[in-house]
Each structure stands twice: as C-alpha cells, then as structure tokens.
Amino acid sequence: MKKIYIGTNWKMMMTTEEGVDYTKKVMELEEFLHDHIQLFVIPSYTSLASIHEVLKDSSILMGAQNMHWEEKGAFTGEISPRMLKETGVNVVELGHSERRQYFNEKDEDINKKVKAALHYAMTPLVCVGENWEEKESGLSVGTLRKQIETCLNGLSAEQVKNVWIAYEPVWAIGEKGKPASADYVADIHQEIRSILVQLFGTQAYDIPLLFGGSVNTENFLGYLRKDQVDGLFIGRAAWELASFEAILKEVNRLN
Ligand code: PGA
C-alpha cells in the first residue's frame, strides 16, 4: 500500500496556545488513522518547542517553515539548522511561494538550505511551482525543471531519497487561488518525476511528491486518487479542524 503524506503549514496564523490546542485535537484524529498515513504539521518558530512537547509520543512529524543554511553566525533574525534540530524538527519546508515572492528567496538559496537540512538529518520539503503567466505561456514544465535542477543541485542519488517535493502552483495557493484540476496535477507530477529520474536515476522514485494549493474537502480525493500524487500539503482546509477531520476520515478509507 502506498504511503500517503498529509500535512499543513500554519503560515503566520496560529499562536502557541492555538497551535497546542490544534495539535492535541489532530493527535486524537491520528489515533484512528492507518499506519501508511504520515501526518505532519509546520508551526511557527515560536511554537516549535511547545508543539514538540505535545507530539513527543506521536508519529506526527513536525516541520519548520524556513531555515538559514549556516550552522551559526552573525545573521540577525535567522534560525539555523542546529537550532531547529535541537528543537525536535524533522522536516524543513523550503521555498514556499510566499518566501519566494515576499522575501526574495532564490533557488540558489534553497539549494544551500536543502544541503544544510540533509546534513542535520532533517527532511527538506522543497516547494516548487509555476505562476499563472508561466502556465499560460506553456512554460510550466521548463520552470519546474529549472527550480528542481537548482534546488537539488549537487545532491547524490542517495541523498535525494531523503527529500520530499511539494508541487504548489503559485496560481492555486491561498484566498485568490484557483484550484487545479486533478488531471493537470497528475500530468505535472508525472513531468516532475521524469525530471527527477533523469537527474538522479531510479532512486528518484522514492521521493514523495505532494500537491498543495486550494486543496479542500471537495477536491482532495480527486488528487489523491491519482497514482502520481503521494500526498497533500494543505493550508486553509486543514486549519479548520472540521474540514481537516473530514479529509482525514476519507483518506483513511482509501486503499
Ligand atoms: P492553501 O495553502 O491550501 O490555503 O491554498 C496552500 C499552501 O500555501 O501551501
């Protein structure tokens, strides 16, 4: 049975108190999930220690939303891989479109962060995705190829097995996002897989490919039913516990 990854990035939404409460409720839901469903939550930095404490006997993984690549140094306001590791972080989300758009994060920076995360035995969750203009100009696959080549540059085939990728088309994310069709997502995931196999060989079949962007209670099953989709990376529909619960219950029924 294929492993299914379901996770949520909280962005800058929850306080520690809210996050702890949310996590406890998700843990109650998780008890009823099959073992092949891997949940993960990605709180704000300020909540990581408290959420780690809540999750200590759980198989839910905890991620961070960003990270600097240096181990330490004079980088005011930044958080290093060593600090995240110490806090109990398992997964580091890198290159979300909001980081690229508002904080000018480049594929070259993401590449350094991917290597730093791997060095500290944390899983880099690398977000890639084209914007609307690129999609409409037929440049989706070319954009993704460039992002993947640069973000994963210099990794060995052995290392790449420890990377997760989230395909998150910029035009599908957030309040103004348009949900992508399941067929479109399956085609793009197929393209991403073949780019990865060209770059890293058959080890690239081990990389989980998650989809994110306006995933909701209406459309999530369509994505998950596609063989090319290994999981979902959910924003708004996961922050609402009722809709997250509805999604998880259905996912649990899938074979
Ligand atoms: P959304 O966010 O599900 O609210 O569109 C997705 C994301 O930004 O990863």
Side-chain angles (χ1 to χ4, degrees):
M1 191 174 291
K2 86 169 178 181
K3 193 160 178 174
I4 301 176
Y5 298 77
I6 309 273
T8 176
N9 160 23
W10 299 354
K11 307 195 179 181
M12 199 176 71
M13 297 293 181
M14 291 192 217
T15 63
T16 299
E17 194 182 344
E18 290 160 351
V20 164
D21 186 51
Y22 173 94
T23 304
K24 286 182 178 161
K25 291 184 176 134
V26 172
M27 280 169 71
E28 285 167 22
L29 300 175
E30 206 243 353
E31 278 180 36
F32 301 97
L33 297 184
H34 298 307
D35 289 346
H36 67 285
I37 301 171
Q38 176 65 64
L39 290 190
F40 61 99
V41 292
I42 309 199
S44 298
Y45 288 137
T46 51
S47 304
L48 289 172
S50 306
I51 302 296
H52 178 57
E53 187 57 29
V54 173
L55 287 176
K56 64 179 180 307
D57 297 319
S58 155
S59 55
I60 301 176
L61 299 176
M62 180 179 77
Q65 297 180 16
N66 181 30
M67 179 187 76
H68 196 277
W69 56 83
E70 290 287 347
E71 188 175 282
K72 56 164 131 170
F75 299 103
T76 301
E78 290 292 318
I79 308 277
S80 82
R82 209 162 63 111
M83 295 165 185
L84 293 183
K85 187 73 187 177
E86 181 189 39
T87 318
V89 164
N90 317 102
V91 176
V92 189
E93 177 182 3
L94 297 170
H96 186 278
S97 74
E98 290 151 16
R99 300 276 337 148
R100 294 170 183 268
Q101 189 181 343
Y102 304 127
F103 303 98
N104 202 25
E105 199 157 298
K106 300 276 176 264
D107 292 326
E108 288 74 10
D109 305 324
I110 298 162
N111 178 237
K112 291 186 220 162
K113 296 178 183 198
V114 168
K115 289 176 177 160
L118 290 170
H119 182 73
Y120 275 86
M122 296 182 287
T123 301
L125 168 53
V126 180
C127 302
V128 293
E130 80 284 9
N131 64 30
W132 183 253
E133 291 71 37
E134 287 161 341
K135 174 179 185 285
E136 290 301 285
S137 320
L139 297 174
S140 301
V141 175
T143 302
L144 291 162
R145 174 180 291 278
K146 198 200 140 279
Q147 290 176 347
I148 292 167
E149 278 175 358
T150 310
C151 292
L152 304 186
N153 183 34
L155 265 55
S156 66
E158 205 47 49
Q159 285 177 308
V160 94
K161 292 198 301 189
N162 299 316
V163 173
W164 298 355
I165 293 195
Y167 169 54
E168 298 214 313
V170 180
W171 47 269
I173 292 175
E175 295 290 347
K176 296 194 182 118
K178 289 183 209 237
S181 74
D183 286 341
Y184 182 80
V185 171
D187 287 349
I188 295 284
H189 275 221
Q190 187 78 44
E191 297 283 356
I192 292 175
R193 184 71 72 193
S194 60
I195 293 168
L196 290 167
V197 171
Q198 280 163 28
L199 292 173
F200 298 102
T202 52
Q203 313 260 36
Y205 287 111
D206 291 343
I207 302 175
L209 294 187
L210 283 61
F211 172 70
S214 293
V215 173
N216 59 35
T217 49
E218 306 292 308
N219 62 20
F220 74 99
L221 265 185
Y223 301 128
L224 274 187
R225 284 208 178 103
K226 299 288 185 187
D227 288 341
Q228 295 87 346
V229 177
D230 301 307
L232 299 173
F233 196 18
I234 314 175
R236 291 157 295 152
W239 306 335
E240 274 299 321
L241 267 161
S243 55
F244 199 33
E245 181 172 358
I247 290 173
L248 292 179
K249 281 190 171 153
E250 278 299 318
V251 172
N252 210 31
R253 287 201 199 105
L254 289 175
N255 288 315

